[in-house]
Amino acid sequence: MVGSRSWVIGFFNRYGNKRSGNDKYLDYPLSPLQEQRLQRLQDRLQVPFDETRTDHQEALRALWHAAFPNIVLRGLISEQWKDMGWQGPNPSTDFRGCGFVSLENLLFFARTYPASFHRLLFKQDGDRATWEYPFAVAGINVSFMLIQMLDLCSAKPKCLPGINFVKLLGEDEEAFDVLYCIAFEMMDAQWLAMHASYMEFNEVLQVTRTQLERELSLEDVHRIQDLPAYNLLYQ
C-alpha cells in the first residue's frame, strides 16, 4: 500500500545522523586504499537521478526486468511501477530523496541476491500485515538510513559504525551495496518480528539502524561477511 510523498521523506527528516560525541573517533588514519574507496563511494552519493540520462533510464529498465522478467514494461512512466512499490507512475520523482545510488542499491540487490530480493518484493515469508510497506520506497529509505548512520557525508566518518565500515570498505569495494542488502533483510525481519503495519515503518527502520550499529561495532567484524546478519542473505 503506497501513501503520500511524506512517507518517503518522513524518515529522512525524523532521524538525523547520531554522533558518538567521543573525541577518540575524530582523528584516525585511512590507508590509501580506504581513502580511495571512500572517495569513490562519496562521489556516488553526489549523483542525482536524472531521468533524461540514457544510463539512468537503462538502469531503471534493468531494475524492472530483474524484478519482473516475464512482464513487459510499457514505459518509464507507467502505472506498472506501483506494483514494485513506487508511489506513482513515475519512479524518478521518488529518487529525488536520495539520488542515483538508491537505484544502484536496488539493482545490486536484485542482481546479486535475487532470491532474497524477490522474497522481500513479493512479501513471501511470515505473517504479513494488511497494509504492507511499499518495497521500492522502503529501499530508498534504507539507502538514506545507511548514508546517515555511517556519516558518509563527512570527509571521514566520525562514529564507530562508520569508522569500522571504512575498514570493511578497504577489504571489499562493494561493502556498501552488500550492507544495503543486509539492512533491507534486517528491516523486513524486524517488520515481521514487531508485527508492524504501514504507519510503523519509521519505528521499524530505527530499530534496524540500532541493531546494525551494534553489529558494526563488534570487535571481531573484519569483513562484511562477518556481520551476524549477513546470514540473512541468500542467492
Side-chain angles (χ1 to χ4, degrees):
M1 204 54 138
V2 181
S4 67
R5 180 158 312 282
S6 62
W7 197 95
V8 185
I9 63 175
F11 180 83
F12 298 175
N13 295 330
R14 190 169 179 179
Y15 298 110
N17 192 36
K18 297 188 292 186
R19 303 283 181 161
S20 66
N22 195 328
D23 290 342
K24 74 177 182 179
Y25 297 141
L26 298 182
D27 187 24
Y28 59 95
L30 295 180
S31 72
L33 182 60
Q34 290 171 345
E35 189 171 355
Q36 180 186 66
R37 289 182 173 178
L38 177 61
Q39 185 59 57
R40 284 178 186 168
L41 175 56
Q42 290 173 329
D43 289 344
R44 287 174 62 192
L45 305 185
Q46 300 304 312
V47 179
F49 181 82
D50 184 347
E51 58 187 315
T52 67
R53 284 183 53 168
T54 302
D55 56 336
H56 289 199
Q57 294 172 2
E58 289 306 312
L60 198 51
R61 288 191 183 95
L63 178 64
W64 177 269
H65 181 71
F68 305 107
N70 299 317
I71 301 176
V72 176
L73 178 66
R74 292 191 291 269
L76 292 180
I77 299 178
S78 168
E79 293 294 324
Q80 288 175 289
W81 288 108
K82 294 180 182 179
D83 294 337
M84 196 187 297
W86 301 103
Q87 294 199 108
N90 185 0
S92 66
T93 59
D94 290 333
F95 286 121
R96 292 172 186 164
C98 199
F100 185 58
V101 70
S102 55
L103 174 54
E104 290 182 312
N105 288 156
L106 280 167
L107 193 52
F108 179 89
F109 192 11
R111 287 172 168 170
T112 310
Y113 304 101
S116 286
F117 177 87
H118 284 99
R119 185 178 62 79
L120 300 191
L121 171 62
F122 297 124
K123 310 294 196 301
Q124 292 174 337
D125 283 0
D127 184 14
R128 314 302 307 201
T130 302
W131 246 24
E132 276 289 320
Y133 64 83
F135 175 81
V137 175
I140 294 179
N141 278 272
V142 171
S143 294
F144 190 87
M145 180 268 287
L146 289 178
I147 294 168
Q148 291 284 298
M149 182 190 78
L150 300 173
D151 196 18
L152 293 178
C153 292
S154 298
K156 289 195 305 183
K158 298 180 177 66
C159 58
L160 183 57
I163 293 168
N164 288 341
F165 167 75
V166 173
K167 296 175 184 177
L168 303 181
L169 193 62
E171 298 296 323
D172 182 353
E173 192 162 12
E174 293 183 334
F176 181 75
D177 299 274
V178 177
L179 187 63
Y180 168 85
C181 302
I182 294 171
F184 212 144
E185 280 279 11
M186 291 174 70
M187 183 278 294
D188 188 74
Q190 289 290 350
W191 177 273
L192 291 173
M194 294 169 64
H195 304 286
S197 188
Y198 182 82
M199 298 305 293
E200 297 165 304
F201 179 81
N202 285 344
E203 181 182 353
V204 171
L205 200 56
Q206 180 60 20
V207 172
T208 302
R209 171 174 172 158
T210 300
Q211 181 183 351
L212 197 54
E213 286 174 326
R214 188 178 300 118
E215 292 199 8
L216 282 167
S217 299
L218 296 173
E219 294 182 357
D220 57 349
V221 172
H222 307 290
R223 304 174 306 144
I224 194 75
Q225 293 84 358
D226 294 334
L227 290 170
Y230 180 81
N231 293 325
L232 292 172
L233 290 172
Y234 52 94
Q235 298 179 333

